[in-house]
PDB file of all heavy atoms in Angstrom:
ATOM      1  N   ARG A 736       0.471  -3.293   0.049  1.00  0.00           N
ATOM      2  CA  ARG A 736       0.767  -2.203   0.983  1.00  0.00           C
ATOM      3  C   ARG A 736       2.042  -1.488   0.564  1.00  0.00           C
ATOM      4  O   ARG A 736       3.034  -2.115   0.181  1.00  0.00           O
ATOM      5  CB  ARG A 736       0.905  -2.761   2.402  1.00  0.00           C
ATOM      6  CG  ARG A 736       1.098  -1.687   3.461  1.00  0.00           C
ATOM      7  CD  ARG A 736       0.890  -2.248   4.850  1.00  0.00           C
ATOM      8  NE  ARG A 736       1.826  -3.327   5.156  1.00  0.00           N
ATOM      9  CZ  ARG A 736       1.734  -4.091   6.243  1.00  0.00           C
ATOM     10  NH1 ARG A 736       0.728  -3.900   7.093  1.00  0.00           N
ATOM     11  NH2 ARG A 736       2.610  -5.041   6.466  1.00  0.00           N
ATOM     12  N   LEU A 737       1.990  -0.150   0.648  1.00  0.00           N
ATOM     13  CA  LEU A 737       3.133   0.672   0.254  1.00  0.00           C
ATOM     14  C   LEU A 737       3.819   1.187   1.513  1.00  0.00           C
ATOM     15  O   LEU A 737       3.243   1.984   2.270  1.00  0.00           O
ATOM     16  CB  LEU A 737       2.680   1.851  -0.609  1.00  0.00           C
ATOM     17  CG  LEU A 737       1.898   1.494  -1.888  1.00  0.00           C
ATOM     18  CD1 LEU A 737       1.535   2.753  -2.645  1.00  0.00           C
ATOM     19  CD2 LEU A 737       2.704   0.540  -2.767  1.00  0.00           C
ATOM     20  N   ALA A 738       5.019   0.717   1.760  1.00  0.00           N
ATOM     21  CA  ALA A 738       5.794   1.150   2.923  1.00  0.00           C
ATOM     22  C   ALA A 738       6.667   2.332   2.529  1.00  0.00           C
ATOM     23  O   ALA A 738       7.429   2.268   1.560  1.00  0.00           O
ATOM     24  CB  ALA A 738       6.658  -0.004   3.439  1.00  0.00           C
ATOM     25  N   GLY A 739       6.546   3.434   3.269  1.00  0.00           N
ATOM     26  CA  GLY A 739       7.359   4.611   2.990  1.00  0.00           C
ATOM     27  C   GLY A 739       6.798   5.502   1.907  1.00  0.00           C
ATOM     28  O   GLY A 739       7.490   6.420   1.450  1.00  0.00           O
ATOM     29  N   TRP A 740       5.535   5.273   1.515  1.00  0.00           N
ATOM     30  CA  TRP A 740       4.950   6.096   0.432  1.00  0.00           C
ATOM     31  C   TRP A 740       4.630   7.494   0.935  1.00  0.00           C
ATOM     32  O   TRP A 740       4.137   7.688   2.045  1.00  0.00           O
ATOM     33  CB  TRP A 740       3.680   5.425  -0.083  1.00  0.00           C
ATOM     34  CG  TRP A 740       3.040   6.155  -1.244  1.00  0.00           C
ATOM     35  CD1 TRP A 740       3.265   5.942  -2.561  1.00  0.00           C
ATOM     36  CD2 TRP A 740       2.059   7.193  -1.163  1.00  0.00           C
ATOM     37  NE1 TRP A 740       2.502   6.779  -3.324  1.00  0.00           N
ATOM     38  CE2 TRP A 740       1.743   7.573  -2.489  1.00  0.00           C
ATOM     39  CE3 TRP A 740       1.430   7.849  -0.116  1.00  0.00           C
ATOM     40  CZ2 TRP A 740       0.820   8.566  -2.792  1.00  0.00           C
ATOM     41  CZ3 TRP A 740       0.514   8.852  -0.402  1.00  0.00           C
ATOM     42  CH2 TRP A 740       0.210   9.208  -1.725  1.00  0.00           C
ATOM     43  N   GLU A 741       4.940   8.489   0.124  1.00  0.00           N
ATOM     44  CA  GLU A 741       4.568   9.876   0.373  1.00  0.00           C
ATOM     45  C   GLU A 741       4.023  10.467  -0.924  1.00  0.00           C
ATOM     46  O   GLU A 741       4.387  10.010  -2.010  1.00  0.00           O
ATOM     47  CB  GLU A 741       5.787  10.702   0.831  1.00  0.00           C
ATOM     48  CG  GLU A 741       6.378  10.283   2.165  1.00  0.00           C
ATOM     49  CD  GLU A 741       5.466  10.619   3.327  1.00  0.00           C
ATOM     50  OE1 GLU A 741       4.569  11.467   3.143  1.00  0.00           O
ATOM     51  OE2 GLU A 741       5.653  10.031   4.412  1.00  0.00           O
ATOM     52  N   PRO A 742       3.131  11.452  -0.839  1.00  0.00           N
ATOM     53  CA  PRO A 742       2.605  12.071  -2.067  1.00  0.00           C
ATOM     54  C   PRO A 742       3.736  12.584  -2.955  1.00  0.00           C
ATOM     55  O   PRO A 742       4.644  13.281  -2.495  1.00  0.00           O
ATOM     56  CB  PRO A 742       1.751  13.234  -1.531  1.00  0.00           C
ATOM     57  CG  PRO A 742       1.366  12.811  -0.150  1.00  0.00           C
ATOM     58  CD  PRO A 742       2.536  12.044   0.368  1.00  0.00           C
ATOM     59  N   GLY A 743       3.695  12.197  -4.226  1.00  0.00           N
ATOM     60  CA  GLY A 743       4.696  12.643  -5.180  1.00  0.00           C
ATOM     61  C   GLY A 743       6.006  11.895  -5.117  1.00  0.00           C
ATOM     62  O   GLY A 743       6.963  12.256  -5.816  1.00  0.00           O
ATOM     63  N   ALA A 744       6.073  10.847  -4.266  1.00  0.00           N
ATOM     64  CA  ALA A 744       7.332  10.110  -4.115  1.00  0.00           C
ATOM     65  C   ALA A 744       7.639   9.306  -5.369  1.00  0.00           C
ATOM     66  O   ALA A 744       6.734   8.785  -6.037  1.00  0.00           O
ATOM     67  CB  ALA A 744       7.249   9.189  -2.902  1.00  0.00           C
ATOM     68  N   ALA A 745       8.896   9.207  -5.704  1.00  0.00           N
ATOM     69  CA  ALA A 745       9.330   8.398  -6.837  1.00  0.00           C
ATOM     70  C   ALA A 745       9.151   6.925  -6.505  1.00  0.00           C
ATOM     71  O   ALA A 745       9.193   6.531  -5.327  1.00  0.00           O
ATOM     72  CB  ALA A 745      10.795   8.691  -7.159  1.00  0.00           C
ATOM     73  N   PRO A 746       8.956   6.066  -7.534  1.00  0.00           N
ATOM     74  CA  PRO A 746       8.722   4.637  -7.285  1.00  0.00           C
ATOM     75  C   PRO A 746       9.812   3.973  -6.451  1.00  0.00           C
ATOM     76  O   PRO A 746       9.539   3.029  -5.709  1.00  0.00           O
ATOM     77  CB  PRO A 746       8.650   4.040  -8.695  1.00  0.00           C
ATOM     78  CG  PRO A 746       8.203   5.187  -9.552  1.00  0.00           C
ATOM     79  CD  PRO A 746       8.840   6.405  -8.957  1.00  0.00           C
ATOM     80  N   ASP A 747      11.054   4.457  -6.552  1.00  0.00           N
ATOM     81  CA  ASP A 747      12.127   3.808  -5.787  1.00  0.00           C
ATOM     82  C   ASP A 747      12.223   4.324  -4.350  1.00  0.00           C
ATOM     83  O   ASP A 747      13.089   3.906  -3.587  1.00  0.00           O
ATOM     84  CB  ASP A 747      13.467   4.003  -6.501  1.00  0.00           C
ATOM     85  CG  ASP A 747      13.793   5.484  -6.712  1.00  0.00           C
ATOM     86  OD1 ASP A 747      12.944   6.335  -6.372  1.00  0.00           O
ATOM     87  OD2 ASP A 747      14.894   5.779  -7.230  1.00  0.00           O
ATOM     88  N   ALA A 748      11.306   5.234  -3.995  1.00  0.00           N
ATOM     89  CA  ALA A 748      11.345   5.791  -2.641  1.00  0.00           C
ATOM     90  C   ALA A 748      10.489   5.006  -1.663  1.00  0.00           C
ATOM     91  O   ALA A 748      10.517   5.270  -0.466  1.00  0.00           O
ATOM     92  CB  ALA A 748      10.901   7.255  -2.662  1.00  0.00           C
ATOM     93  N   TYR A 749       9.705   4.064  -2.142  1.00  0.00           N
ATOM     94  CA  TYR A 749       8.871   3.261  -1.247  1.00  0.00           C
ATOM     95  C   TYR A 749       8.892   1.810  -1.707  1.00  0.00           C
ATOM     96  O   TYR A 749       9.334   1.493  -2.812  1.00  0.00           O
ATOM     97  CB  TYR A 749       7.433   3.786  -1.200  1.00  0.00           C
ATOM     98  CG  TYR A 749       6.751   3.894  -2.546  1.00  0.00           C
ATOM     99  CD1 TYR A 749       6.076   2.813  -3.111  1.00  0.00           C
ATOM    100  CD2 TYR A 749       6.775   5.092  -3.255  1.00  0.00           C
ATOM    101  CE1 TYR A 749       5.459   2.914  -4.335  1.00  0.00           C
ATOM    102  CE2 TYR A 749       6.155   5.208  -4.495  1.00  0.00           C
ATOM    103  CZ  TYR A 749       5.492   4.120  -5.028  1.00  0.00           C
ATOM    104  OH  TYR A 749       4.873   4.217  -6.251  1.00  0.00           O
ATOM    105  N   VAL A 750       8.414   0.933  -0.834  1.00  0.00           N
ATOM    106  CA  VAL A 750       8.448  -0.509  -1.097  1.00  0.00           C
ATOM    107  C   VAL A 750       7.022  -1.029  -1.144  1.00  0.00           C
ATOM    108  O   VAL A 750       6.204  -0.723  -0.257  1.00  0.00           O
ATOM    109  CB  VAL A 750       9.241  -1.250  -0.006  1.00  0.00           C
ATOM    110  CG1 VAL A 750       9.208  -2.758  -0.255  1.00  0.00           C
ATOM    111  CG2 VAL A 750      10.673  -0.735   0.047  1.00  0.00           C
ATOM    112  N   GLU A 751       6.692  -1.834  -2.162  1.00  0.00           N
ATOM    113  CA  GLU A 751       5.385  -2.474  -2.255  1.00  0.00           C
ATOM    114  C   GLU A 751       5.503  -3.895  -1.723  1.00  0.00           C
ATOM    115  O   GLU A 751       6.363  -4.667  -2.162  1.00  0.00           O
ATOM    116  CB  GLU A 751       4.898  -2.495  -3.701  1.00  0.00           C
ATOM    117  CG  GLU A 751       3.536  -3.157  -3.868  1.00  0.00           C
ATOM    118  CD  GLU A 751       3.051  -3.161  -5.308  1.00  0.00           C
ATOM    119  OE1 GLU A 751       3.134  -2.109  -5.967  1.00  0.00           O
ATOM    120  OE2 GLU A 751       2.590  -4.239  -5.779  1.00  0.00           O
ATOM    121  N   GLU A 752       4.640  -4.235  -0.762  1.00  0.00           N
ATOM    122  CA  GLU A 752       4.675  -5.560  -0.168  1.00  0.00           C
ATOM    123  C   GLU A 752       3.277  -6.161  -0.150  1.00  0.00           C
ATOM    124  O   GLU A 752       2.288  -5.446   0.026  1.00  0.00           O
ATOM    125  CB  GLU A 752       5.236  -5.491   1.254  1.00  0.00           C
ATOM    126  CG  GLU A 752       4.531  -4.484   2.149  1.00  0.00           C
ATOM    127  CD  GLU A 752       5.196  -4.311   3.489  1.00  0.00           C
ATOM    128  OE1 GLU A 752       6.266  -4.911   3.695  1.00  0.00           O
ATOM    129  OE2 GLU A 752       4.641  -3.585   4.335  1.00  0.00           O
ATOM    130  N   SER A 753       3.180  -7.478  -0.343  1.00  0.00           N
ATOM    131  CA  SER A 753       1.893  -8.176  -0.351  1.00  0.00           C
ATOM    132  C   SER A 753       1.581  -8.680   1.052  1.00  0.00           C
ATOM    133  O   SER A 753       2.398  -9.388   1.659  1.00  0.00           O
ATOM    134  CB  SER A 753       1.925  -9.356  -1.326  1.00  0.00           C
ATOM    135  OG  SER A 753       2.069  -8.891  -2.654  1.00  0.00           O
ATOM    136  N   VAL A 754       0.400  -8.310   1.560  1.00  0.00           N
ATOM    137  CA  VAL A 754      -0.045  -8.757   2.887  1.00  0.00           C
ATOM    138  C   VAL A 754      -1.512  -9.151   2.789  1.00  0.00           C
ATOM    139  O   VAL A 754      -2.227  -8.731   1.867  1.00  0.00           O
ATOM    140  CB  VAL A 754       0.130  -7.655   3.956  1.00  0.00           C
ATOM    141  CG1 VAL A 754       1.584  -7.273   4.116  1.00  0.00           C
ATOM    142  CG2 VAL A 754      -0.719  -6.436   3.620  1.00  0.00           C
ATOM    143  N   ALA A 755      -1.964  -9.970   3.719  1.00  0.00           N
ATOM    144  CA  ALA A 755      -3.383 -10.322   3.773  1.00  0.00           C
ATOM    145  C   ALA A 755      -4.177  -9.091   4.191  1.00  0.00           C
ATOM    146  O   ALA A 755      -3.728  -8.281   5.004  1.00  0.00           O
ATOM    147  CB  ALA A 755      -3.603 -11.457   4.767  1.00  0.00           C
ATOM    148  N   ALA A 756      -5.362  -8.960   3.617  1.00  0.00           N
ATOM    149  CA  ALA A 756      -6.191  -7.796   3.916  1.00  0.00           C
ATOM    150  C   ALA A 756      -6.485  -7.693   5.405  1.00  0.00           C
ATOM    151  O   ALA A 756      -6.605  -6.594   5.951  1.00  0.00           O
ATOM    152  CB  ALA A 756      -7.494  -7.869   3.125  1.00  0.00           C
ATOM    153  N   GLY A 757      -6.598  -8.833   6.090  1.00  0.00           N
ATOM    154  CA  GLY A 757      -6.892  -8.822   7.510  1.00  0.00           C
ATOM    155  C   GLY A 757      -5.779  -8.255   8.368  1.00  0.00           C
ATOM    156  O   GLY A 757      -5.977  -7.970   9.550  1.00  0.00           O
ATOM    157  N   GLU A 758      -4.568  -8.103   7.792  1.00  0.00           N
ATOM    158  CA  GLU A 758      -3.435  -7.568   8.549  1.00  0.00           C
ATOM    159  C   GLU A 758      -3.340  -6.051   8.462  1.00  0.00           C
ATOM    160  O   GLU A 758      -2.505  -5.442   9.127  1.00  0.00           O
ATOM    161  CB  GLU A 758      -2.126  -8.189   8.039  1.00  0.00           C
ATOM    162  CG  GLU A 758      -2.039  -9.694   8.225  1.00  0.00           C
ATOM    163  CD  GLU A 758      -0.743 -10.256   7.678  1.00  0.00           C
ATOM    164  OE1 GLU A 758       0.170  -9.453   7.381  1.00  0.00           O
ATOM    165  OE2 GLU A 758      -0.636 -11.489   7.540  1.00  0.00           O
ATOM    166  N   LEU A 759      -4.170  -5.439   7.625  1.00  0.00           N
ATOM    167  CA  LEU A 759      -4.095  -3.988   7.458  1.00  0.00           C
ATOM    168  C   LEU A 759      -4.551  -3.274   8.719  1.00  0.00           C
ATOM    169  O   LEU A 759      -5.473  -3.715   9.408  1.00  0.00           O
ATOM    170  CB  LEU A 759      -4.962  -3.549   6.275  1.00  0.00           C
ATOM    171  CG  LEU A 759      -4.503  -4.006   4.884  1.00  0.00           C
ATOM    172  CD1 LEU A 759      -5.519  -3.588   3.839  1.00  0.00           C
ATOM    173  CD2 LEU A 759      -3.121  -3.435   4.563  1.00  0.00           C
ATOM    174  N   ARG A 760      -3.907  -2.152   9.001  1.00  0.00           N
ATOM    175  CA  ARG A 760      -4.247  -1.321  10.150  1.00  0.00           C
ATOM    176  C   ARG A 760      -4.604   0.079   9.667  1.00  0.00           C
ATOM    177  O   ARG A 760      -4.259   0.478   8.559  1.00  0.00           O
ATOM    178  CB  ARG A 760      -3.071  -1.242  11.131  1.00  0.00           C
ATOM    179  CG  ARG A 760      -2.693  -2.566  11.765  1.00  0.00           C
ATOM    180  CD  ARG A 760      -3.785  -3.072  12.698  1.00  0.00           C
ATOM    181  NE  ARG A 760      -3.401  -4.279  13.419  1.00  0.00           N
ATOM    182  CZ  ARG A 760      -3.587  -5.501  12.985  1.00  0.00           C
ATOM    183  NH1 ARG A 760      -4.138  -5.701  11.785  1.00  0.00           N
ATOM    184  NH2 ARG A 760      -3.242  -6.545  13.715  1.00  0.00           N
ATOM    185  N   ARG A 761      -5.306   0.807  10.529  1.00  0.00           N
ATOM    186  CA  ARG A 761      -5.664   2.179  10.199  1.00  0.00           C
ATOM    187  C   ARG A 761      -4.397   2.990   9.876  1.00  0.00           C
ATOM    188  O   ARG A 761      -3.420   2.953  10.621  1.00  0.00           O
ATOM    189  CB  ARG A 761      -6.402   2.820  11.370  1.00  0.00           C
ATOM    190  CG  ARG A 761      -7.047   4.161  11.042  1.00  0.00           C
ATOM    191  CD  ARG A 761      -7.535   4.851  12.308  1.00  0.00           C
ATOM    192  NE  ARG A 761      -8.373   3.989  13.124  1.00  0.00           N
ATOM    193  CZ  ARG A 761      -9.688   3.871  12.998  1.00  0.00           C
ATOM    194  NH1 ARG A 761     -10.308   4.581  12.072  1.00  0.00           N
ATOM    195  NH2 ARG A 761     -10.378   3.067  13.789  1.00  0.00           N
ATOM    196  N   GLY A 762      -4.438   3.702   8.768  1.00  0.00           N
ATOM    197  CA  GLY A 762      -3.309   4.528   8.358  1.00  0.00           C
ATOM    198  C   GLY A 762      -2.422   3.884   7.319  1.00  0.00           C
ATOM    199  O   GLY A 762      -1.590   4.566   6.706  1.00  0.00           O
ATOM    200  N   ASP A 763      -2.553   2.561   7.089  1.00  0.00           N
ATOM    201  CA  ASP A 763      -1.761   1.902   6.050  1.00  0.00           C
ATOM    202  C   ASP A 763      -2.137   2.443   4.668  1.00  0.00           C
ATOM    203  O   ASP A 763      -3.294   2.803   4.419  1.00  0.00           O
ATOM    204  CB  ASP A 763      -1.988   0.388   6.079  1.00  0.00           C
ATOM    205  CG  ASP A 763      -1.261  -0.288   7.235  1.00  0.00           C
ATOM    206  OD1 ASP A 763      -0.439   0.379   7.871  1.00  0.00           O
ATOM    207  OD2 ASP A 763      -1.541  -1.472   7.506  1.00  0.00           O
ATOM    208  N   ILE A 764      -1.144   2.489   3.782  1.00  0.00           N
ATOM    209  CA  ILE A 764      -1.355   2.949   2.405  1.00  0.00           C
ATOM    210  C   ILE A 764      -1.297   1.732   1.487  1.00  0.00           C
ATOM    211  O   ILE A 764      -0.353   0.941   1.551  1.00  0.00           O
ATOM    212  CB  ILE A 764      -0.287   3.972   1.976  1.00  0.00           C
ATOM    213  CG1 ILE A 764      -0.199   5.117   2.992  1.00  0.00           C
ATOM    214  CG2 ILE A 764      -0.602   4.501   0.584  1.00  0.00           C
ATOM    215  CD1 ILE A 764      -1.446   5.939   3.113  1.00  0.00           C
ATOM    216  N   VAL A 765      -2.310   1.564   0.632  1.00  0.00           N
ATOM    217  CA  VAL A 765      -2.333   0.449  -0.316  1.00  0.00           C
ATOM    218  C   VAL A 765      -2.593   0.990  -1.716  1.00  0.00           C
ATOM    219  O   VAL A 765      -3.225   2.041  -1.883  1.00  0.00           O
ATOM    220  CB  VAL A 765      -3.413  -0.600   0.047  1.00  0.00           C
ATOM    221  CG1 VAL A 765      -3.121  -1.236   1.386  1.00  0.00           C
ATOM    222  CG2 VAL A 765      -4.800   0.025   0.055  1.00  0.00           C
ATOM    223  N   VAL A 766      -2.097   0.282  -2.701  1.00  0.00           N
ATOM    224  CA  VAL A 766      -2.373   0.618  -4.091  1.00  0.00           C
ATOM    225  C   VAL A 766      -3.276  -0.473  -4.665  1.00  0.00           C
ATOM    226  O   VAL A 766      -3.079  -1.659  -4.402  1.00  0.00           O
ATOM    227  CB  VAL A 766      -1.068   0.746  -4.907  1.00  0.00           C
ATOM    228  CG1 VAL A 766      -0.284  -0.558  -4.906  1.00  0.00           C
ATOM    229  CG2 VAL A 766      -1.380   1.175  -6.350  1.00  0.00           C
ATOM    230  N   VAL A 767      -4.301  -0.054  -5.421  1.00  0.00           N
ATOM    231  CA  VAL A 767      -5.253  -1.006  -6.001  1.00  0.00           C
ATOM    232  C   VAL A 767      -5.342  -0.746  -7.501  1.00  0.00           C
ATOM    233  O   VAL A 767      -5.952   0.243  -7.926  1.00  0.00           O
ATOM    234  CB  VAL A 767      -6.649  -0.869  -5.367  1.00  0.00           C
ATOM    235  CG1 VAL A 767      -7.543  -2.020  -5.820  1.00  0.00           C
ATOM    236  CG2 VAL A 767      -6.569  -0.824  -3.849  1.00  0.00           C
ATOM    237  N   PRO A 768      -4.732  -1.590  -8.325  1.00  0.00           N
ATOM    238  CA  PRO A 768      -4.831  -1.410  -9.779  1.00  0.00           C
ATOM    239  C   PRO A 768      -6.160  -1.923 -10.314  1.00  0.00           C
ATOM    240  O   PRO A 768      -6.950  -2.546  -9.588  1.00  0.00           O
ATOM    241  CB  PRO A 768      -3.666  -2.249 -10.300  1.00  0.00           C
ATOM    242  CG  PRO A 768      -3.463  -3.299  -9.262  1.00  0.00           C
ATOM    243  CD  PRO A 768      -3.839  -2.686  -7.950  1.00  0.00           C
ATOM    244  N   ALA A 769      -6.422  -1.669 -11.574  1.00  0.00           N
ATOM    245  CA  ALA A 769      -7.664  -2.102 -12.209  1.00  0.00           C
ATOM    246  C   ALA A 769      -7.803  -3.611 -12.134  1.00  0.00           C
ATOM    247  O   ALA A 769      -6.828  -4.357 -12.301  1.00  0.00           O
ATOM    248  CB  ALA A 769      -7.690  -1.643 -13.664  1.00  0.00           C
ATOM    249  N   GLY A 770      -9.026  -4.066 -11.863  1.00  0.00           N
ATOM    250  CA  GLY A 770      -9.325  -5.485 -11.812  1.00  0.00           C
ATOM    251  C   GLY A 770      -9.203  -6.103 -10.441  1.00  0.00           C
ATOM    252  O   GLY A 770      -9.615  -7.248 -10.247  1.00  0.00           O
ATOM    253  N   GLU A 771      -8.664  -5.385  -9.458  1.00  0.00           N
ATOM    254  CA  GLU A 771      -8.479  -5.951  -8.131  1.00  0.00           C
ATOM    255  C   GLU A 771      -9.500  -5.397  -7.142  1.00  0.00           C
ATOM    256  O   GLU A 771     -10.065  -4.322  -7.336  1.00  0.00           O
ATOM    257  CB  GLU A 771      -7.058  -5.678  -7.629  1.00  0.00           C
ATOM    258  CG  GLU A 771      -5.986  -6.415  -8.424  1.00  0.00           C
ATOM    259  CD  GLU A 771      -4.634  -6.361  -7.740  1.00  0.00           C
ATOM    260  OE1 GLU A 771      -4.560  -5.857  -6.596  1.00  0.00           O
ATOM    261  OE2 GLU A 771      -3.649  -6.827  -8.350  1.00  0.00           O
ATOM    262  N   LEU A 772      -9.711  -6.162  -6.057  1.00  0.00           N
ATOM    263  CA  LEU A 772     -10.633  -5.745  -5.008  1.00  0.00           C
ATOM    264  C   LEU A 772      -9.946  -4.781  -4.050  1.00  0.00           C
ATOM    265  O   LEU A 772      -8.766  -4.963  -3.725  1.00  0.00           O
ATOM    266  CB  LEU A 772     -11.136  -6.957  -4.220  1.00  0.00           C
ATOM    267  CG  LEU A 772     -12.065  -7.930  -4.948  1.00  0.00           C
ATOM    268  CD1 LEU A 772     -12.326  -9.147  -4.068  1.00  0.00           C
ATOM    269  CD2 LEU A 772     -13.376  -7.262  -5.312  1.00  0.00           C
ATOM    270  N   ILE A 773     -10.675  -3.792  -3.606  1.00  0.00           N
ATOM    271  CA  ILE A 773     -10.165  -2.882  -2.586  1.00  0.00           C
ATOM    272  C   ILE A 773     -10.138  -3.652  -1.266  1.00  0.00           C
ATOM    273  O   ILE A 773     -11.164  -4.190  -0.832  1.00  0.00           O
ATOM    274  CB  ILE A 773     -11.056  -1.635  -2.494  1.00  0.00           C
ATOM    275  CG1 ILE A 773     -10.989  -0.857  -3.810  1.00  0.00           C
ATOM    276  CG2 ILE A 773     -10.635  -0.748  -1.322  1.00  0.00           C
ATOM    277  CD1 ILE A 773     -11.951   0.305  -3.903  1.00  0.00           C
ATOM    278  N   PRO A 774      -8.990  -3.760  -0.604  1.00  0.00           N
ATOM    279  CA  PRO A 774      -8.861  -4.674   0.548  1.00  0.00           C
ATOM    280  C   PRO A 774      -9.499  -4.185   1.838  1.00  0.00           C
ATOM    281  O   PRO A 774      -9.695  -4.971   2.759  1.00  0.00           O
ATOM    282  CB  PRO A 774      -7.347  -4.805   0.715  1.00  0.00           C
ATOM    283  CG  PRO A 774      -6.804  -3.518   0.168  1.00  0.00           C
ATOM    284  CD  PRO A 774      -7.711  -3.128  -0.951  1.00  0.00           C
TER     285      PRO A 774
END
């Protein structure tokens, strides 16, 4: 999950945190790299 992410934001402008998929709520932003499941 990306906290504070905005379109075009620099990498240091937001925080990436690991959470269980079941904790996600509508509106959360997540990043999914190659090889991983979409949560």
